[in-house]
Amino acid sequence: MRVRFAPSPTGQLHVGNARTALFNWLLAHGKDGTFLLRIEDTDIERSTRESETGILEDLRWLGLEWDEGPDVGGPHGPYRQSERLHLYASYANELLAADHSYYCFCSPAKLDADRQEDLAAGRPPRYHGTCRAIARADAQARIEGGDRPVVRFRVPESEEVRFQDLVRGEVVFNTDVIGDFVLVRSDGRPQYNFAVVIDDALMEVTHVIRGEDHISNTPRQILLYQALGFTPPEFAHLSLVMGPDHTPLSKRHGATSVSEFRARGYLPEALVNYLALIGWSPRTDGGSGEHDAELLPVDEMARRFAIEDVGHSAGIFDVEKLAWMNRHYMKAAAPARLAAESLRYFTARGYVSRRTDEAMEYVSMILPMAVGSVDRLEEIPDRLRFLFDFEPAAALARAEVAEVVHSNGARDVIVALADELRGAGRLDRDGFRAAANRVKQRTGQKARALFHPIRVALTGEAGGPELDLAVPAIDRGADLPSSAGIAPIVGCRERAELFARMVK
RNA sequence: GUCCCCAUCGUCCAGAGGCCUAGGACGUGGCCCUUUCAAGGCCAAAACACGGGUUCGAAUCCCGUUGGGGACGCCA
């Protein structure tokens, strides 16, 4: 089995396309097949090398490695359509010679007028066949005279083209709704349907798995396979991914490209796992009726994947469910990896200025306070901002903080805390607990009435990670030398002092 | 407009004629845990689009309606 993913490098890798790539990858990996990557860059106006590089990077980040492709090569290369032009030219001539295609000299204006006419008359817009009967010699003469025609495929009339779609079953099209489509543009570059067929045939692709938006291209391509004497592959058309309003997932729905999700702090395994579950679910092994867990490593998904099990209807991209998965995978991730992945967000906030061993160690230390309670890596620094941004005046100005301070006995607690901390040593977990205990004895406050004011005085916030973790983190951070590359952290003693002064 | 595809909780799926009093997950609500906010645990509410058939029996099969999506380019 040979499958392929064939993006055009005209922008970033869209999550919908990433899902298509994933399904191809899953199929190949579950069946010991080959997954190849082909770059469809025949649209020279829009294709860029930057996009290509970005797409390759995103696929690799997702873990969807390919066996053959533009950068790794393979036995059926080149894998970039712009480098295969000679192949298309040769097959175009073959089709011309066999009279399966012909030169068309119609101007864009004429074509457009025809289209408008069809639409107005309630007919499906299709090529009128104006140049169908131009004699070869006449065409040749016009070309020599400087005309630059396109090559059109001669679509047979009133024929039924049918194919067994692996996910949808039999699909039938009548050729009467298909106009003679362009094979080669006037500048000699191949048109999509033509290049795809030649490449898929030559690259020996056995299963074409792509988005549903290509389903109406399939009869055209089958016609081409037949004219060229190639055997068509199996086809499977995946339903599309929509936004919550049932319109195609686009910018106004938020992030749409893999790189955006990456930038926002989603883990690749979370995105992959989530994407696989749009339109597919792991088949239940037993007959228990119980649905298997949805959280699956990609190899396990590949093991269970069957293209026939893929759903028929469009799926809506649910950011909430993705967030849930991401939370899960963040908790499961190795601390060192998480620290490395989160560093950029700390840097962006100005919390870390240089990547030093001490900085990494500190980030690793404070990470557990945030992981598990945030949806994305990007949100981690904000959850930990109390470490770096301690401003009692601004804190007091916030309603929820003021409320705590004004509750009964809160001032006493804060004053006592400041006093206790003056003589306290290291505020590790035990040190903090001891100090809190002394404050408890002095003020008679306990539980919420005790810890809430302490939290506010030490973090400037009414909520946040457990103090058992937060206080030692502050204490440790305050001791860091400036060479550590961490933004200066105000120590607990000073925090309590400042706060006590403000509430007196 | 024409052609093609699709239709189970708000969302993603399970369900391949009796196992369905329609199951799971996310989300939502409640409760619990708890020194806070989250997280976590437990419980609950929540769907077979509609109308006709076929059948002893239909969420499951057929037809239609409605609704949604896609395609109709010298884009891919």
Side-chain angles (χ1 to χ4, degrees):
Chain A
M1 161 179 291
R2 290 173 61 80
V3 298
R4 47 68 156 185
F5 177 58
S8 63
T10 54
Q12 311 227 280
L13 179 63
H14 190 273
V15 288
N17 288 126
R19 170 168 163 271
T20 302
L22 170 63
F23 282 10
N24 274 284
W25 188 95
L26 288 174
L27 193 59
H29 280 254
K31 296 223 163 48
D32 202 30
T34 303
F35 176 53
L36 51 120
L37 179 66
R38 181 175 70 229
I39 300 298
E40 311 220 317
D41 56 351
T42 57
D43 182 352
I44 51 173
E45 283 84 32
R46 297 194 301 150
S47 298
T48 64
R49 261 316 157 93
E50 295 72 63
S51 293
E52 181 187 313
T53 309
I55 289 169
L56 263 56
E57 235 172 66
D58 290 342
L59 286 170
R60 285 221 166 83
W61 178 71
L62 289 170
L64 307 181
E65 300 279 344
W66 46 97
D67 306 302
E68 297 173 25
D71 56 337
V72 296
H76 300 273
Y79 292 89
R80 215 174 261 126
Q81 291 187 329
S82 58
E83 293 164 12
R84 302 171 61 81
L85 266 19
H86 57 288
L87 293 166
Y88 312 127
S90 136
Y91 283 100
N93 285 332
E94 192 177 297
L95 253 18
L96 238 14
D99 205 35
H100 275 124
S101 62
Y102 59 90
Y103 288 111
C104 167
F105 297 88
C106 294
S107 68
K110 152 82 171 142
L111 260 16
D112 195 51
D114 287 352
R115 199 166 9 252
Q116 296 310 324
E117 189 192 316
D118 285 336
L119 252 12
R123 287 186 304 249
R126 43 175 284 220
Y127 180 60
H128 282 24
T130 318
C131 300
R132 263 198 154 196
I134 293 178
R136 178 58 51 80
D138 296 342
Q140 214 53 54
R142 290 180 68 170
I143 292 168
E144 272 152 34
D147 278 1
R148 286 285 162 267
V150 300
V151 176
R152 279 186 192 273
F153 184 70
R154 196 182 297 282
V155 175
E157 269 174 62
S158 304
E159 261 180 38
E160 280 193 339
V161 180
R162 55 185 66 217
F163 60 97
Q164 276 303 123
D165 191 295
L166 260 21
V167 344
R168 280 155 217 287
E170 185 172 69
V171 180
V172 186
F173 282 88
N174 191 294
T175 54
D176 289 342
V177 300
I178 306 170
D180 289 353
F181 55 93
V182 173
L183 258 28
V184 183
R185 295 179 252 236
S186 55
D187 64 0
R189 282 149 49 218
Q191 191 265 350
Y192 167 75
N193 285 297
F194 185 48
V196 164
V197 168
I198 289 170
D199 290 343
D200 283 338
L202 263 29
M203 292 177 179
E204 294 173 23
V205 170
T206 59
H207 299 254
V208 170
I209 296 145
R210 72 223 311 191
E212 196 193 3
D213 49 338
H214 284 295
I215 201 164
S216 55
N217 283 320
T218 309
R220 290 165 230 265
Q221 293 174 196
I222 288 174
L223 253 16
L224 277 172
Y225 275 99
Q226 290 167 350
L228 259 4
F230 294 136
T231 307
E234 299 284 342
F235 291 100
H237 290 93
L238 270 18
S239 54
L240 271 17
V241 178
M242 304 292 192
D245 58 356
H246 293 87
T247 63
L249 196 61
S250 72
K251 288 278 178 282
R252 57 203 171 72
H253 296 116
T256 57
S257 68
V258 170
S259 56
E260 284 173 285
F261 282 96
R262 181 183 188 174
R264 291 181 188 199
Y266 290 93
L267 259 19
E269 58 268 44
L271 227 204
V272 161
N273 197 154
Y274 175 66
L275 250 19
L277 260 26
I278 305 179
W280 178 74
S281 68
R283 177 172 266 182
T284 12
D285 280 340
S288 61
E290 273 298 286
H291 194 60
D292 283 274
E294 295 183 333
L295 297 162
L296 290 177
V298 72
D299 292 323
E300 179 61 16
M301 289 195 276
R303 201 178 67 72
R304 301 203 203 180
F305 189 77
I307 193 72
E308 295 79 15
D309 293 343
V310 173
H312 300 185
S313 52
I316 282 153
F317 195 92
D318 183 358
V319 192
E320 293 296 335
K321 187 149 185 177
L322 205 214
W324 168 74
M325 287 211 160
N326 204 46
R327 261 178 344 244
H328 168 82
Y329 282 106
M330 283 193 294
K331 284 179 221 167
R337 174 187 170 210
L338 238 31
E341 296 289 337
S342 317
L343 188 65
R344 51 195 295 212
Y345 304 110
F346 283 93
T347 307
R349 288 282 288 240
Y351 294 163
V352 174
S353 57
R354 281 194 319 285
R355 183 188 179 124
T356 64
D357 288 349
E358 278 167 306
M360 290 310 291
E361 195 187 324
Y362 188 61
V363 169
S364 300
M365 174 199 177
I366 63 181
L367 231 36
M369 287 189 284
V371 171
S373 57
V374 296
D375 291 343
R376 301 177 277 121
L377 296 176
E378 189 185 31
E379 295 170 347
I380 291 176
D382 193 54
R383 178 86 179 153
L384 301 176
R385 67 173 182 278
F386 70 87
L387 291 166
F388 309 94
D389 299 329
F390 181 74
E391 289 166 34
L396 245 12
R398 287 200 304 275
E400 73 273 18
V401 172
E403 193 187 329
V404 173
V405 171
H406 293 134
S407 60
N408 278 341
R411 285 159 203 262
D412 294 346
V413 170
I414 293 170
V415 170
L417 176 72
D419 196 44
E420 280 302 331
L421 256 32
R422 260 192 288 274
R426 172 106 267 165
L427 285 176
D428 54 15
R429 186 190 174 96
D430 290 338
F432 166 64
R433 286 193 169 183
N437 228 305
R438 289 195 296 275
V439 174
K440 177 183 178 179
Q441 269 152 19
R442 273 173 64 163
T443 61
Q445 300 291 354
K446 56 185 198 270
R448 191 184 172 93
L450 173 69
F451 287 101
H452 224 171
I454 291 179
R455 167 179 298 284
V456 161
L458 259 24
T459 70
E461 289 173 12
E466 323 174 28
L467 289 173
D468 276 353
L469 296 173
V471 172
I474 295 171
D475 192 55
R476 178 81 185 80
D479 277 356
L480 253 25
S482 59
S483 63
I486 296 278
I489 290 171
V490 180
C492 291
R493 209 159 292 130
E494 196 177 339
R495 290 180 181 217
E497 203 68 58
L498 286 166
F499 228 94
R501 226 174 289 151
M502 301 229 23
V503 300
K504 251 182 203 158

